[in-house]
Structure formats: structure tokens, C-alpha cells
């Protein structure tokens, strides 16, 4: 025995144990190909023993969802590139989550890009879903090979 849930033209067979609303939503979130979660894309991210996952160095990815399609590029340290033709020497390091990373926008649409077009060099170390602890650890990892003033 199973229930059938319909969403537009997509239908799913859901086992009776999945009939509570939270379980149904979780199941649909994973089963319906509506979201391309960037940090789960092996072309863009790789496992990390300390941070769980990190952007791949010098990776270029296409993130495509129902709402948008965006090209995302990462630099030699795994930093989000800003789309500037000639990147400036960084005077500002950005830490944060998907908002700071620029979720859903191409490199030349991030706020880091807008800062660079106004003459402020930016190093964007933000990673989608990172909280404060992982953001600071990512900064520590960067500082090991790039001394900060």
C-alpha cells in the first residue's frame, strides 16, 4: 500500500511511513530535480576532513535551477571569482554563506564584483551553508599560506 502524491506532472509513490508532512517535504526536496545544490556538485566541491566540503581549486561550474542559471568560477585557493577581467589586489576578505558567495548569480553579478568595479580588491572565501565556525576555519587555512596584514 502506498499513497501517490502529484506535483505538476511529477508523481511519487510515498510509503505509508512517509505520510507525515515533514517527511513528505524532505522526500520531495531530495527527489524532485528542482534544485541544484552547488556544494553537492562534485565538479565544484570536494570533501574536506575539517570543513566537510570546500570549493575545488580553479573549478568552473554551471548552477542551474528553476529560478536561474549561473556560471560560477573558483580561483587557485577555491575563492569565488568576481568576474573582473583583471582582479585587483585584495584589500577585503569576504567570509559568509550563500549570500556572500553569491548563490544564484554569475560571477559578474556578485556583490564582490560590484566592490571591485568601484576599486576595492576582494577575496571572496564565502561558502554556501558555512556557519561562523567553518568560515573562521577557512580564513585560518587561507592565512597559513597567505599571511594577513
Amino acid at each position: 500500500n502506498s499513497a501517490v502524491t502529484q506535483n505538476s506532472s511529477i508523481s511519487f509513490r510515498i510509503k505509508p511511513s512517509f505520510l507525515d508532512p515533514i517527511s513528505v517535504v524532505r522526500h520531495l526536496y531530495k527527489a524532485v530535480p528542482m534544485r541544484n545544490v552547488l556544494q553537492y556538485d562534485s565538479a565544484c566541491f570536494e570533501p574536506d576532513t575539517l570543513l566537510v566540503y570546500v570549493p575545488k581549486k580553479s573549478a568552473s561550474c554551471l548552477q542551474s535551477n528553476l529560478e536561474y542559471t549561473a556560471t560560477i568560477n573558483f580561483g587557485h585557493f577555491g575563492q569565488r571569482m568576481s568576474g573582473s577581467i583583471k582582479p585587483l589586489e585584495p584589500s577585503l576578505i569576504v567570509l559568509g554563506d550563500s549570500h556572500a558567495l553569491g548563490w544564484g548569480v554569475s560571477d559578474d553579478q556578485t556583490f564582490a564584483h560590484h566592490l571591485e568595479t568601484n576599486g576595492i580588491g576582494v577575496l571572496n572565501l564565502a561558502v554556501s551553508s558555512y556557519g561562523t565556525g567553518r568560515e573562521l576555519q577557512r580564513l585560518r587555512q587561507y592565512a597559513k599560506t597567505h599571511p594577513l596584514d
Side-chain angles (χ1 to χ4, degrees):
N1 293 337
S2 62
V4 176
T5 300
Q6 294 209 0
N7 179 358
S8 318
S9 62
I10 302 170
S11 64
F12 297 94
R13 293 224 171 262
I14 300 173
K15 295 179 182 178
S17 61
F18 282 84
L19 290 180
D20 70 278
I22 299 297
S23 294
V24 170
V25 170
R26 284 184 184 145
H27 176 75
L28 291 176
Y29 183 80
K30 292 178 182 177
V32 178
M34 292 178 10
R35 292 199 56 172
N36 171 322
V37 180
L38 183 65
Q39 61 268 31
Y40 299 154
D41 183 344
S42 63
C44 299
F45 281 76
E46 59 192 1
D48 183 83
T49 55
L50 187 60
L51 298 172
V52 184
Y53 48 81
V54 292
K56 282 188 173 178
K57 295 170 177 66
S58 304
S60 183
C61 316
L62 181 67
Q63 186 181 24
S64 182
N65 291 304
L66 288 175
E67 303 94 3
Y68 58 85
T69 298
T71 300
I72 297 172
N73 293 290
F74 294 102
H76 64 278
F77 185 75
Q79 76 276 20
R80 172 78 190 261
M81 300 305 291
S82 67
S84 297
I85 294 171
K86 184 181 177 193
L88 302 171
E89 186 66 29
S91 59
L92 175 70
I93 295 178
V94 174
L95 300 174
D97 59 9
S98 56
H99 297 282
L101 172 75
W103 180 274
V105 298
S106 292
D107 297 339
D108 62 352
Q109 297 172 315
T110 64
F111 86 92
H113 172 78
H114 292 289
L115 290 172
E116 286 204 342
T117 60
N118 287 296
I120 301 169
V122 177
L123 178 71
N124 190 346
L125 295 177
V127 176
S128 181
S129 84
Y130 274 20
T132 306
R134 287 196 287 175
E135 293 164 7
L136 292 174
Q137 186 58 43
R138 184 153 159 78
L139 179 61
R140 284 184 200 105
Q141 285 181 337
Y142 178 79
K144 285 180 185 177
T145 56
H146 301 81
L148 303 173
D149 293 335

